[in-house]
Amino acid sequence: MKPIFYLLSFLIFSLSFSQNEAFTETEVAISDIIDGSLVVPKTSEKTDLVIIIAGSGPTNRNGNQNFLKSNNLKKLAYALADANISSFRYDKRIVKQIKTGKVDVKSMRFEDFVADAKDVVAHFKNKDEFSKIYIAGHSQGSLVGLLAVDNNVDGFISLAGAGQNIGDVIVDQINNTARQFVEDTKKVVAKLKEGKTTSDYPSALGAMFNMETQPFMISWMTYNPTEVIAEVNIPILIINGTKDLQVSVEEANLLAKANKNTELHIIENMNHVLFTIEGDTLENSKSYNESFRELNPELIETIVAFIKKQD
């Protein structure tokens, strides 16, 4: 049995080693509050770089939160490396603030996330180590990325990004999941859109509309994604899945209609965290914490084809 055991051990080690040899992964500090992972394929040629921006909440560079671990953004980075494309993914500023015990939700604004994304772009543009720079924003990160687009960015990829104002998206989500609170939600959203805070909301909506987070929500609601994307003059890829519980296909259609430079790709059975879901809503919801799942293969093929098309 020993020779077989050693042979298996050698094969497992060799496989792991060869996979690690395909790229390098380096910790990079962009600023005092932004750290991330730079993944670069081992090649003698310059590669394109995709800057991956995470979605809402205290989401880290891998796409995870405390009780939700999918590793979807980490898997995206590694899949891009397999296609000879570099990437940088970073922890949102609130992740580091939580680690250091310096969270100040009251003073946080949506524009802070945009500023962080712009700093990341500028950092790598100044390095001049990559052929082209792309932004790939997931969920909330889609709007953040759109607002961060400047002359340093060569292409933009929206992954499950909303087309409506976030206030309207919230109303739709509540209507689909807790319809008894939809009228209350409409009233709160209307106030926030006016730039005013309000304490008139049911306790069940406290996690979303508590007084500390309302200033941030107000700053977020000042932007309409369709108006923002209409001003973007670089190639754009919009991707959404038919099994997305949070951002519907209609949202992607709205973004696509707002800019003639867009390429729209709807992926059958892909959900919000970019996994393939063949079953029901329960399977879909559970997948947010199932890091063993693989990313939808069509997602990777579509992103790679879009990037290679621009070369």
Side-chain angles (χ1 to χ4, degrees):
M1 289 295 291
K2 283 186 177 180
I4 295 176
F5 172 79
Y6 289 138
L7 176 60
L8 287 173
S9 298
F10 173 77
L11 289 174
I12 291 170
F13 174 79
S14 299
L15 177 62
S16 175
F17 183 77
S18 64
Q19 286 175 335
N20 290 338
E21 281 291 288
F23 59 82
T24 60
E25 184 167 11
T26 309
E27 181 84 6
V28 176
I30 302 297
S31 66
D32 291 341
I33 53 174
I34 296 298
D35 304 313
S37 297
L38 176 64
V39 175
V40 179
K42 289 191 175 178
T43 174
S44 59
E45 301 176 354
K46 259 190 175 184
T47 61
D48 295 325
L49 175 74
V50 177
I51 295 168
I52 302 171
I53 304 176
S56 59
T59 309
N60 69 15
R61 70 190 71 181
N62 296 328
N64 303 331
Q65 297 182 18
N66 277 348
F67 303 104
L68 293 173
K69 185 176 181 180
S70 68
N71 276 332
N72 60 342
L73 301 186
K74 180 178 181 179
K75 291 174 182 180
L76 176 58
Y78 290 177
L80 290 173
D82 287 340
N84 212 36
I85 298 169
S86 300
S87 66
F88 180 74
R89 63 192 196 279
Y90 61 94
D91 299 331
K92 293 177 68 176
R93 62 166 55 203
I94 192 170
V95 173
K96 191 158 191 177
Q97 290 173 346
I98 290 172
K99 288 178 180 177
T100 57
K102 297 179 180 178
V103 180
D104 184 7
V105 177
K106 283 185 178 180
S107 64
M108 193 175 297
R109 299 293 182 270
F110 193 80
E111 290 79 10
D112 295 332
F113 297 148
V114 178
D116 293 340
K118 287 184 176 181
D119 286 346
V120 172
V121 172
H123 173 89
F124 288 106
K125 187 65 177 180
N126 292 336
K127 290 280 186 182
D128 194 29
E129 296 173 351
F130 301 97
S131 300
K132 291 183 177 179
I133 294 178
Y134 295 82
I135 290 177
H138 178 247
S139 194
Q140 182 195 73
S142 173
L143 179 56
V144 171
L146 281 171
L147 290 164
V149 165
D150 56 21
N151 293 332
N152 295 327
V153 180
D154 299 287
F156 176 76
I157 302 164
S158 173
L159 303 173
Q164 297 184 88
N165 180 282
I166 188 59
D168 300 321
V169 173
I170 290 171
V171 170
D172 285 348
Q173 289 178 347
I174 295 297
N175 189 49
N176 292 332
T177 58
R179 191 166 296 178
Q180 68 272 28
F181 297 116
V182 71
E183 293 305 318
D184 294 303
T185 303
K186 287 179 180 178
K187 290 176 184 176
V188 176
V189 167
K191 280 283 188 185
L192 297 179
K193 282 185 177 182
E194 293 174 2
K196 302 174 182 177
T197 59
T198 177
S199 58
D200 186 17
Y201 57 86
S203 58
L205 300 178
M208 186 182 301
F209 292 131
N210 67 75
M211 296 301 291
E212 283 197 343
T213 62
Q214 283 187 32
F216 175 82
M217 297 300 291
I218 289 171
S219 68
W220 191 356
M221 288 183 194
T222 59
Y223 298 102
N224 290 310
T226 52
E227 294 177 4
V228 177
I229 200 172
E231 301 299 319
V232 175
N233 294 312
I234 56 175
I236 301 169
L237 173 63
I238 298 170
I239 298 177
N240 217 91
T242 61
K243 287 288 182 76
D244 195 319
L245 296 174
Q246 294 173 247
V247 180
S248 69
V249 168
E250 285 72 23
E251 301 290 332
N253 289 328
L254 286 172
L255 287 175
K257 290 175 182 176
N259 190 311
K260 63 181 180 181
N261 293 320
T262 59
E263 177 183 327
L264 175 63
H265 203 93
I266 305 300
I267 299 179
E268 195 69 25
N269 292 331
M270 187 178 77
N271 74 351
H272 191 69
V273 290
L274 314 178
F275 294 152
T276 303
I277 301 297
E278 300 291 352
D280 58 12
T281 301
L282 179 60
E283 179 196 346
N284 200 336
S285 300
K286 287 173 62 180
S287 72
Y288 283 57
N289 198 35
E290 294 179 336
S291 59
F292 63 83
R293 289 179 177 264
E294 298 296 326
L295 293 185
N296 182 285
E298 189 177 339
L299 168 75
I300 307 304
E301 293 168 7
T302 303
I303 293 174
V304 171
F306 172 76
I307 292 172
K308 298 299 183 185
K309 190 189 301 182
Q310 316 308 324
D311 290 342

